[in-house]
Every structure is written in C-alpha cells, then in structure tokens.
Amino acid sequence: AAEVLGKTTAEATIMTTLFAVCSAVAAIPAGKMGKKIGRKKTILIGLIVFMAVFLLYVLTQNMALIWVALVLGGAANMFITVNTLPLVLDIGGIEKVGTFTGYYYTATFSAQIASPIIYGIVRMFTGSYMSLFIYSPIMFILSIACILFVKHGEAVPQEIVDKIEEENADLIENLVVATDNFVTYKPAFNSYTVMAGYPWFIDWSRDTLIAFEGVLLLTKRYEIAREVLLSITKDINSGLIPNGYSDSDNKPLYNSVDASLLLFEQVQK
C-alpha cells in the first residue's frame, strides 16, 4: 500500500476494513444468487469482476478506482467463496461429504501456501509490487479456465423443488402423519423424546439426532425439538451425551461417540 498506492498504515487499514465489510454484506446475497442463477455462473461473475477491477486500475492508474475495486472486490470475493464449498460437496454427494471437504481444504490451503511463494519470485524479478496487479488477473484467468470444466454441483432451482413438493404432496403429508408415532412423551424425564423404532427399541440419542431434522424441524415441532435437545444435554459428561438410559435404574449410558457430534449439527440447524 505504501510503495504502490502511497497510503499510510492507517489508510491501508481502512481499505482492508472496507473490503471485509463489503464481503460480509455480500455473503447472504451471494448464496441466494448462487441458488437463483447457478453456483458456477455466480463464481464466474466473481472471478471476472475481480479480474476487471485489477486490470482497470493497471490501465488507468486512477486512485479513485481503488475504492471502487475494494467495494466490488469484496462482493466478488463472497460470490466465489460462498458458492465454492457447496459446489464441491454437491459434486461428491452426501456419501462423500468428508472426502470432498478434505479435497476442498487441501486445494485452498495449498493455494494459500503456494501463491505467496510464486508471487515472491515474481516480485523479486519485477522489482515492484505493481506486478501484483498483473499477477492476480493471470491467476483469475486460470481459475476461470478451471471452473469452466465443472459440470456438476449446481443447487436445485426453487421451481423444481416446488414442483416436486406439489407432485408428492400426498406422500409428504403421509410421512408427516407417520412421524407422530415416533414423537412420544417420557414421564420419567418430564419431556418429549423420539423413539428409535418399534416394537422393542426405546429412545436412543444417536437415533433421535439422526431423525431430528426430519421428524421435528421440517414438521415445525419447534417447542418439542427444544425439549428434546434440553433433555439430551442434561447429563453431559466429559463432552459425551448419553446415548440412552439403563432400564433398571435410569443411569445414563455413554456408548456412542458420534452422538455428541450429531448434537452439534442439529443445534446449528
């Protein structure tokens, strides 16, 4: 900032803050835009805007454009970031969420490590940080070339979701009614619970949390959902929630490791 733009440390801080604020403001609209026009198109728009504002400054050397670039660049940053991980996860499918999350972070962190090294070499040969305004558009062009090869991972358009729901209205209604049979009141704990299955299974926290979203949230049983979560968490021990209780004395049974992880997921929802 001092060498190329002639800015003081205070001014440079204001500039980075403006970029961060614009990124935060654009985060939710970026997600909605990705769903409306497609994640791939939204990412491409972000990359093109980023590339354009960098090149525009190089061509004009107009300092006012830096402020425009920070605003547009902040928004473009979210167009890319917000839509990339969902795109990658949808390509892998629900069965490979963990694997493709690993791919995503391996790629992004590798880029964060490699790019400063590569640009450091470029800076060494060019002798000026002005070369960053050339280096960045080149990287954006490479990114555009990569995203153009992506064929999957788009969000399902809302019109299609609405059509499917309309065509399966009777089935959905029957499934909602069926969930009533699994939501029961547990007098011993003075709260509601979700049964794991009939005829012999009782309630198990792991099974309850797996079914939590479909049985309680999507059916809008929010108060019961709250009771279930409070009941599950009242006997936390060393980070573990009980998977169930002993039939003889109601002592908590800590025999499930992933139940606590499922709890975090459901609380977030």
Side-chain angles (χ1 to χ4, degrees):
E3 179 183 322
V4 177
L5 304 178
K7 301 295 182 182
T8 63
T9 302
E11 289 172 326
T13 302
I14 293 172
M15 294 170 77
T16 54
T17 302
L18 176 62
F19 181 87
V21 169
C22 291
S23 292
V25 170
I28 294 177
K32 292 182 177 180
M33 186 174 174
K35 186 169 185 179
K36 186 174 182 61
I37 70 171
R39 292 169 181 153
K40 180 178 176 179
K41 288 182 181 178
T42 305
I43 293 170
L44 283 171
I45 290 171
L47 290 169
I48 291 169
V49 169
F50 246 137
M51 183 175 63
V53 293
F54 268 91
L55 288 176
L56 200 57
Y57 175 74
V58 172
L59 295 174
T60 63
Q61 298 288 300
N62 187 338
M63 188 56 62
L65 288 175
I66 286 295
W67 297 100
V68 176
L70 290 170
V71 173
L72 295 180
N77 177 46
M78 285 296 105
F79 285 5
I80 300 165
T81 306
V82 167
N83 289 284
T84 303
L85 180 57
L87 182 97
V88 172
L89 295 183
D90 278 354
I91 290 173
I94 191 145
E95 301 85 3
K96 297 183 179 179
V97 166
T99 301
F100 276 74
T101 300
Y103 290 156
Y104 170 81
Y105 283 109
T106 298
T108 53
F109 282 126
S110 295
Q112 291 175 32
I113 294 169
S115 191
I117 297 172
I118 296 171
Y119 178 67
I121 297 171
V122 173
R123 166 68 176 80
M124 183 173 62
F125 283 104
T126 59
S128 170
Y129 281 108
M130 190 65 189
S131 56
L132 179 63
F133 290 90
I134 303 297
Y135 172 83
S136 294
I138 292 173
M139 294 299 107
F140 286 130
I141 290 171
L142 293 176
S143 299
I144 290 171
C146 290
I147 197 68
L148 287 175
F149 285 99
V150 174
K151 304 297 181 185
H152 306 286
E154 292 291 3
V156 178
Q158 189 60 43
E159 310 86 71
I160 296 178
V161 173
D162 293 339
K163 184 178 179 182
I164 292 173
E165 288 182 351
E166 184 179 345
E167 292 175 348
N168 296 276
D170 292 339
L171 173 61
I172 293 171
E173 184 178 349
N174 290 334
L175 288 173
V176 171
V177 172
T179 62
D180 290 338
N181 297 313
F182 294 88
V183 180
T184 61
Y185 185 75
K186 197 171 184 179
F189 291 86
N190 192 30
S191 68
Y192 282 92
T193 187
V194 176
M195 302 302 288
Y198 293 104
W200 56 80
F201 284 130
I202 54 173
D203 54 333
W204 294 93
S205 296
R206 183 178 185 276
D207 299 65
T208 296
L209 292 168
I210 290 172
F212 188 86
E213 182 177 10
V215 173
L216 299 177
L217 298 185
L218 295 180
T219 56
K220 300 182 179 179
R221 297 184 176 101
Y222 300 128
E223 284 302 317
I224 293 178
R226 179 175 176 275
E227 280 192 33
V228 169
L229 290 177
L230 289 174
S231 176
I232 288 174
T233 55
K234 71 183 182 65
D235 288 315
I236 289 178
N237 185 5
S238 301
L240 293 177
I241 61 173
N243 192 33
Y245 292 84
S246 170
D247 291 333
S248 58
D249 54 13
N250 276 336
K251 285 187 176 180
L253 305 173
Y254 301 97
N255 55 8
S256 175
V257 176
D258 58 348
S260 297
L261 301 178
L262 289 167
L263 173 66
F264 278 101
E265 184 178 356
Q266 299 308 328
V267 169
Q268 183 182 30
K269 292 177 180 177

